[in-house]
């Protein structure tokens, strides 16, 4: 059996998206900046895509700019807000401890440039407390950036509430919605969002394309200087085929959202139930306020990379927050942020299932994970110390 | 998977000498759970020959493969020879390890040396 359970890393391009893209490569290949009809056709196609995407998230077309993906969108949004803030003497930014590195590393860089950054606690359940956010806002706060859904543990943040607080205080609010767009309903108007990052390959679109929504009241800085594309904010010939593919993928994801979500939530809940039967294991992140497809567990006494390799042998593709899977010495900052200590965080497993998951596959995953965990524990000196009472169980 | 050599994967999938020796003559444990790697080696030594060796490992694929390979390299060998075992020899026998995984072979060397130290301490040598 082959089961792809790493949809939070990337997804397969849908047939709809692929079909939409192919003729753009070979037939509608004109440069959108050219004035002849082949170019203007391409121009019209990307503007239609912009309109479609804007409509889906409740924005105006001119509030969407196409980017290379989530990381670029995050960088561009935060940089722009920081620049605006600096002009007004506001150099304080609020974020959360478990943001994606595209956000955290940009903030680190801004700290070196003189900005002050407050990272909010995400608590044991992996959710920011809006009250704590409100208390952290200062007169010199220029931006709040909190993700919509966490990429590792899938926890959903109270975006609307955060947005409302920011609006009342006159602070810009950006959200990295890379894991959320196409999976849960989002409307930038009703959710009080000023800027939002999205990436196509997380919702069955192609890699290397994404978008940034920026409310018309936000003046984005010019990320790439050059031609007049994207109103001069991001020069360079547009990635026409992928823009078309992204719009097609998003349209499809949103129109099937309810149905997909039902299938995924059902499988997710069964996986959580089944994996909870493994002794000395724990679900990471809130049980209910999480993405439909996200399951993340820690298993005491084993290490994540060996777990992944053995699951791969059984045909299951998954991921882990173990240090060994990242090439660094520390396990996932997300797991540490929710209070998992190193010893336990190394033994984590993230399953991010797709909407095509079957009941049979769900049961196969449960059975396989149980087998592999038991096997690895059978010769783990840590497990021996735990079971013989030399060490105290944490989970 | 291209991450590791076939040899590493083979030892990871079918680790040799896994387990515990209850009446071991030398036991060594190195690493810590915080870093994500712990290796424990058990030696049975008769007449200065390592007659049996077993290991337990908490760690990634290359840590398990390194433990397995290290036990193979010293089993049946004189203690003096085992004391010469280097991490390089372990890594080479595995057809190489990725750079950032070389510490796994270091850990295997240290685990063996630690078990030999324990043996020497116990036997008063």
């Amino acid at each position: 059996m082959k089961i792809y359970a790493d949809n939070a890393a990337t997804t397969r391009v849908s047939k709809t998206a692929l079909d939409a893209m192919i003729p753009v490569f070979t037939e509608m290949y004109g440069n959108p900046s050219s004035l002849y009809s082949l170019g203007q056709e391409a121009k019209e196609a990307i503007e239609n895509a912009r309109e479609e995407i804007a409509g889906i998230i409740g924005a105006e077309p001119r509030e969407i700019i196409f980017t290379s993906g989530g990381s670029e969108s995050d960088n561009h949004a935060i940089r722009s807000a920081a620049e605006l803030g600096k002009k007004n003497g506001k150099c304080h930014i609020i974020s959360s401890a478990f943001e994606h590195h595209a956000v955290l590393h940009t903030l680190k860089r801004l700290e070196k440039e003189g900005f002050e950054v407050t990272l909010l606690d995400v608590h044991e359940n992996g959710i920011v407390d809006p009250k704590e956010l409100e208390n952290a806002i200062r007169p010199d706060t220029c931006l709040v950036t909190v993700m919509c859904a966490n990429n590792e543990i899938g926890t959903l943040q109270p975006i609307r509430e955060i947005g409302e607080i920011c609006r009342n205080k006159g602070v810009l609010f950006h959200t990295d919605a890379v894991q959320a767009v196409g999976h849960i309903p989002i409307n930038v108007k009703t959710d009080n969002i000023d800027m939002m990052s999205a990436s196509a390959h997380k919702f069955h679109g192609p890699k290397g394309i994404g978008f940034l929504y920026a409310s018309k009241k936000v003046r984005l800085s010019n990320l790439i200087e050059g031609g007049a594309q994207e109103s001069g904010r991001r020069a360079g010939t547009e990635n026409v085929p992928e823009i078309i593919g992204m719009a097609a993928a998003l349209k499809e994801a949103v129109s099937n959202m309810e149905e997909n979500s039902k299938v995924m939530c059902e499988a997710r809940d069964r996986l959580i139930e089944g994996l909870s039967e493994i002794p000395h294991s724990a679900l990471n992140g809130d049980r209910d306020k999480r993405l439909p497809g996200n399951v993340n567990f820690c298993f005491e006494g084993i290490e994540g990379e060996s777990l992944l390799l053995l699951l791969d042998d059984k045909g299951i593709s998954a991921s882990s927050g173990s240090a060994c899977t990242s090439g660094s010495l520390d396990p996932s900052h997300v797991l540490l942020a929710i209070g998992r200590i190193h010893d336990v965080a190394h033994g984590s497993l993230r399953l991010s299932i797709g909407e095509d998951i079957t009941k049979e596959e769900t049961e196969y995953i449960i059975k396989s994970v149980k087998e592999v965990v038991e096997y690895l524990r059978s010769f783990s000196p840590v497990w021996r110390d735990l079971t013989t009472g030399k060490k105290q169980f944490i989970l | 998977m291209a991450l590791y050599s076939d040899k590493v994967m083979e030892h990871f999938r079918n680790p040799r000498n896994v387990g515990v020796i209850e009446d071991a003559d030398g036991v060594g444990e190195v690493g810590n759970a915080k870093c994500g790697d712990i290796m424990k080696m058990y030696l049975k030594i008769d007449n200065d020959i390592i007659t049996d060796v077993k290991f337990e490992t908490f760690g990634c694929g290359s840590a398990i493969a390194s433990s397995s390979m290290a036990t193979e390299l010293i089993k049946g060998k004189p203690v003096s020879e085992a004391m010469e075992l280097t991490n390089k020899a372990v890594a080479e026998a595995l057809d190489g390890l990725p750079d950032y995984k070389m510490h796994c072979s270091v850990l295997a060397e240290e685990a063996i040396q630690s078990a030999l130290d324990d043996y020497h301490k116990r036997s008063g040598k």
Side-chain angles (χ1 to χ4, degrees), chain A residues 162-177:
Chain A
I162 293 173
E164 199 180 341
I165 292 166
C166 292
R167 199 140 289 179
N168 291 337
K169 299 251 183 183
V171 177
L172 284 180
F173 173 45
H174 165 255
T175 186
D176 173 338

Side-chain angles (χ1 to χ4, degrees), chain A residues 41-53:
Chain A
E41 256 177 58
K43 175 80 181 159
E44 204 183 315
I46 61 172
E47 292 316 318
N48 286 342
R50 200 187 306 275
E51 212 168 294
E52 200 139 46
I53 291 169

Side-chain angles (χ1 to χ4, degrees), chain A residues 21-215:
Chain A
M21 283 191 284
I22 287 174
V24 187
F25 284 105
T26 52
E27 289 157 39
M28 201 199 291
Y29 55 84
N31 188 321
S33 299
S34 301
L35 61 81
Y36 42 78
S37 48
L38 192 65
Q40 289 309 300
E41 256 177 58
K43 175 80 181 159
E44 204 183 315
I46 61 172
E47 292 316 318
N48 286 342
R50 200 187 306 275
E51 212 168 294
E52 200 139 46
I53 291 169
I56 287 170
I57 63 161
E60 289 175 30
R62 63 175 169 144
E63 295 176 313
I64 303 292
I65 88 160
F66 296 123
T67 68
S68 65
S71 294
E72 183 189 319
S73 299
D74 286 342
N75 273 257
H76 199 172
I78 294 168
R79 281 264 163 207
S80 299
E83 214 168 279
L84 284 169
K86 204 167 189 176
K87 269 188 204 151
N88 300 316
K90 294 181 170 189
C91 291
H92 177 236
I93 299 174
I94 300 170
S95 187
S96 83
F98 72 168
E99 294 295 310
H100 190 274
H101 284 131
V103 168
L104 288 179
H105 290 178
T106 304
L107 294 177
K108 266 264 166 313
R109 178 58 70 88
L110 286 170
E111 274 184 319
K112 284 189 186 136
E113 293 172 16
F115 280 80
E116 226 183 297
V117 175
T118 301
L119 295 183
L120 297 169
D121 192 356
V122 293
H123 308 276
E124 210 182 320
N125 64 354
I127 297 175
V128 165
D129 181 347
K131 283 230 167 53
E132 288 175 23
L133 167 85
E134 190 162 13
N135 293 335
I137 294 179
R138 313 190 313 209
D140 64 339
T141 305
C142 63
L143 172 72
V144 168
T145 170
V146 173
M147 67 203 322
C148 206
N150 183 268
N151 50 311
E152 290 185 34
I153 59 173
T155 48
L156 306 175
Q157 305 305 308
I159 291 306
R160 189 173 296 181
E161 263 180 280
I162 293 173
E164 199 180 341
I165 292 166
C166 292
R167 199 140 289 179
N168 291 337
K169 299 251 183 183
V171 177
L172 284 180
F173 173 45
H174 165 255
T175 186
D176 173 338
V178 165
Q179 295 289 336
V181 171
H183 297 276
I184 57 169
I186 297 176
N187 182 299
V188 294
K189 291 284 177 299
T190 53
D191 291 333
N192 309 309
I193 300 166
D194 296 316
M195 291 186 282
M196 180 174 86
S197 306
S199 177
H201 75 104
K202 307 292 191 187
F203 50 79
H204 299 286
K207 292 166 185 63
I209 192 80
F211 66 87
L212 170 61
Y213 153 78
S215 149

Side-chain angles (χ1 to χ4, degrees), chain B residues 24-75:
Chain B
D25 298 308
V27 179
E29 183 176 313
V30 295
N32 66 68
K34 192 169 184 264
C35 300
D37 289 302
I38 296 182
M39 285 182 199
K40 194 165 184 178
M41 292 279 175
Y42 303 82
L43 303 176
K44 192 78 200 148
I45 296 170
D46 191 16
N47 241 339
D48 262 1
I49 299 288
I50 297 170
T51 54
D52 199 10
V53 47
K54 295 262 191 260
F55 82 88
E56 289 183 307
T57 291
F58 161 90
C60 59
S62 61
I64 292 170
S66 296
S67 317
S68 166
M69 182 53 86
T71 60
E72 282 228 303
L73 291 173
I74 62 160
K75 198 170 178 177

